[in-house]
Amino acid sequence: MYKYKKNLIICAQAPLTNIALATLMDNNFPKNVKHLYIMGGTYRHAGNITPAAEYNFFVDPEAAYIVLKSGFNATILPWDLCAEHGTITIDEIMHNYEKNKTDLFKFYLDVNRSAIEYNKSGKSGININGLTHSDSLLMSCILNNDIIMETKNVRVDISIEDEITRGFSSMIPDDNSKIKVITRINEDKFKKFLFGSLQNGIKD
């Protein structure tokens, strides 16, 4: 019995291991989920772990393959879109922090200090003095759909066997697919939503 049958929205910000296991345990699981949002894979450009793969799909490509072949109504936020439009510099962050130094905003700065240093080192593939907000961008898109400007229906295949391309996500346009990839977002709306949440809280 599903307490939230066909009303459940899942936000998957990590490797898809648990979603894949739930699908293997219950074949009806995908059709009883209203929508699955996934942060993972790449659409046009290189990954952040290897040139071929983004972290979440690289860690468990078998899970990604199972989930994306099981019939979920799904929307994917790819890493390359996050890197291009979900990146915020430390100057932008501190400018907004000075406007309203809430405890939540201070907590945000404290927990992200190591990520800021990591990005600055260039190890992420993006040499910036700031933060990439892949998970925050996905959650913002769910809470405020106006941030999403364009999606495309795609058929997704995941590379599992080949060592060099392990975790690679091939996304081919397919109007009949139940999977969408986000291809454009409104960067200004995302930043306004994120900083507004940190300064004022998220309103119901």
Side-chain angles (χ1 to χ4, degrees), residues 10 46 74 91 103 110 117-118 124 130 159 167 179 187 189 191 201:
I10 298 177
D91 290 339
D103 289 341
D110 289 342
E117 290 303 313
Y118 179 74
S124 68
S159 176
I179 301 172
E187 190 172 335
K189 283 187 177 180
K191 291 179 181 179

Side-chain angles (χ1 to χ4, degrees), residues 16 39 59 69 88 91 149 168 189:
L16 294 169
M39 191 280 120
V59 169
K69 295 296 184 183
I88 305 178
D91 290 339
M149 296 180 66
F168 172 72
K189 283 187 177 180

Side-chain angles (χ1 to χ4, degrees), residues 36-63:
L36 172 63
Y37 287 87
I38 300 168
M39 191 280 120
T42 60
Y43 180 55
R44 297 190 186 96
H45 303 305
N48 59 349
I49 294 298
T50 71
E54 173 273 336
Y55 175 84
N56 289 339
F57 284 10
F58 176 81
V59 169
D60 195 344
E62 291 84 2

Side-chain angles (χ1 to χ4, degrees), residues 16-140:
L16 294 169
T17 308
N18 290 341
I19 307 297
L21 287 173
T23 301
L24 293 174
M25 293 174 67
D26 181 359
N27 291 333
N28 291 318
F29 179 55
K31 71 179 182 181
N32 284 311
V33 171
K34 182 177 181 180
H35 207 86
L36 172 63
Y37 287 87
I38 300 168
M39 191 280 120
T42 60
Y43 180 55
R44 297 190 186 96
H45 303 305
N48 59 349
I49 294 298
T50 71
E54 173 273 336
Y55 175 84
N56 289 339
F57 284 10
F58 176 81
V59 169
D60 195 344
E62 291 84 2
Y65 180 88
I66 290 169
V67 170
L68 293 167
K69 295 296 184 183
S70 60
F72 283 99
N73 289 309
T75 298
I76 298 173
L77 175 66
W79 160 251
D80 42 320
L81 190 69
C82 298
E84 290 175 2
H85 300 291
T87 296
I88 305 178
T89 67
I90 193 64
D91 290 339
E92 290 178 284
I93 293 169
M94 296 310 299
H95 173 74
N96 282 274
Y97 176 64
E98 292 300 327
K99 291 181 181 178
N100 192 355
K101 298 180 180 180
T102 63
D103 289 341
L104 180 59
F105 211 139
K106 184 178 184 301
F107 174 77
Y108 161 88
L109 288 173
D110 289 342
V111 298
N112 280 303
R113 291 192 191 284
S114 60
I116 291 172
E117 290 303 313
Y118 179 74
N119 283 338
K120 193 175 179 180
S121 72
K123 294 178 181 179
S124 68
I126 304 174
N127 189 4
I128 62 161
N129 186 16
L131 283 169
T132 51
H133 285 75
S134 49
D135 295 342
S136 301
L137 179 53
L138 179 63
M139 182 57 72
S140 297

